[in-house]
Amino acid sequence: MTDVDTKHTTTSGIRLTPEGLVATLRAQTAPTWEAAVGHRFVTELFAGTVDDSVMSRYLVQDYQFFESFLSMLGACVAHGDALGPKLRFAKQLGFLEADEDSYFLMAFAEVGVPAADYADPQLAEPTEDFRDLMDEAVVSASYAELLVVLVIAEWLYLDWGVRSDPMPPRQVHSGWIDLHRGDAFRAWVQFLVDELERVFPTGEDAESTAVRGRLTHIWHRGVDLELAFFDEAYAENDSR
């Protein structure tokens, strides 16, 4: 039976096993997920109309995930259960240093954020909570917990990154979109989804049931925080 026969393809091109545990989690959080993917920030990002103050706040807060994200990838190298996945995570570590960090530095310069403002800022509540979620996954040494957080963080961004809107003219906007779309990023997200599906416990014993409950809780918490993070970018502007 071919891959097309056994899997369902989402609008962003990610293949899911019908009735699989990843598809189930995605369906359970569909309203919140879609609210994040269709958020005002995303619409304004593609239109190139995000106010620089909003873009600055968003990027400064997002940059605070960088170290924790690196730690998560390193933990997946350490705790992955096969050589192939370990090598894939090691490769992704190099991409982050070469491309994503370069974008942040360029973007901060474009919108006028000095190094002192992004080096050690006060964390917004969603930023602090999501970083705690990432750090807890690292401390857990659980490959499955690490994958849950990574799938949310990467797949949700792919889902908005593949919008067919024209690209905005400014690099600070188009560069952030480019980081979250394209064949290479889609392949990375597909790898994460497939790995999570592979290691997600399916047994009916007490241990498997407990782990499923833990992973489900992390998934729901992570999706909630992604939406809250988008909302937070506008908090100061909307309160004026």
Side-chain angles (χ1 to χ4, degrees):
M1 189 173 285
T2 67
D3 189 55
V4 175
D5 293 327
T6 59
K7 290 194 174 185
H8 166 69
T9 303
T10 68
T11 54
S12 57
I14 297 302
R15 300 182 308 278
L16 297 176
T17 301
E19 310 304 323
L21 291 167
V22 176
T24 298
L25 289 174
R26 173 65 180 80
Q28 288 174 351
T29 52
T32 307
W33 187 287
E34 297 303 330
V37 169
H39 197 274
R40 170 188 176 186
F41 175 81
V42 176
T43 299
E44 292 182 0
L45 182 69
F46 274 89
T49 60
V50 182
D51 189 274
D52 276 2
S53 64
V54 172
M55 197 71 198
S56 298
R57 179 175 175 81
Y58 174 90
L59 290 176
V60 166
Q61 292 296 310
D62 198 282
Y63 194 59
Q64 307 316 305
F65 297 130
F66 195 73
E67 183 176 351
S68 293
F69 199 86
L70 289 175
S71 295
M72 289 184 68
L73 295 183
C76 285
V77 174
H79 304 299
D81 59 357
L83 179 60
K86 287 174 180 281
L87 291 173
R88 184 66 182 87
F89 283 109
K91 180 180 178 181
Q92 195 67 16
L93 279 164
F95 164 79
L96 285 178
E97 189 280 330
D99 292 340
E100 187 152 333
D101 195 47
S102 297
Y103 163 79
F104 274 111
L105 298 180
M106 176 280 300
F108 289 142
E110 183 171 334
V111 296
V113 179
D117 287 358
Y118 63 77
D120 188 25
Q122 180 176 347
L123 299 184
E125 185 175 349
T127 308
E128 187 170 14
D129 289 347
F130 201 88
R131 199 166 72 172
D132 285 346
L133 196 70
M134 298 167 78
D135 293 343
E136 287 167 9
V138 172
V139 172
S140 76
S142 165
Y143 187 44
E145 288 193 23
L146 290 158
L147 284 167
V148 168
V149 181
L150 285 169
V151 166
I152 294 167
E154 300 288 61
W155 186 13
L156 191 148
Y157 273 55
L158 174 67
D159 267 8
W160 65 251
V162 298
R163 286 174 63 149
S164 59
D165 306 44
M167 288 290 277
R170 291 178 64 190
Q171 182 64 19
V172 67
H173 302 138
S174 62
W176 190 238
I177 296 168
D178 278 337
L179 283 173
H180 300 103
R181 70 190 318 178
D183 292 343
F185 188 61
R186 183 180 292 106
W188 162 243
V189 175
Q190 186 68 66
F191 162 74
L192 293 174
V193 168
D194 289 346
E195 280 294 281
L196 179 57
E197 191 71 60
R198 180 178 69 82
V199 304
F200 216 113
T202 58
E204 296 304 321
D205 57 285
E207 182 178 356
S208 296
T209 300
V211 173
R212 277 199 306 276
R214 170 68 178 161
L215 298 179
T216 298
H217 171 76
I218 294 170
W219 179 282
H220 282 256
R221 179 65 173 148
V223 174
D224 286 345
L225 288 172
E226 288 285 6
L227 178 56
F229 185 79
F230 282 123
D231 288 340
E232 181 63 30
Y234 291 88
E236 289 187 3
N237 292 50
D238 291 345
S239 65
R240 292 171 185 168

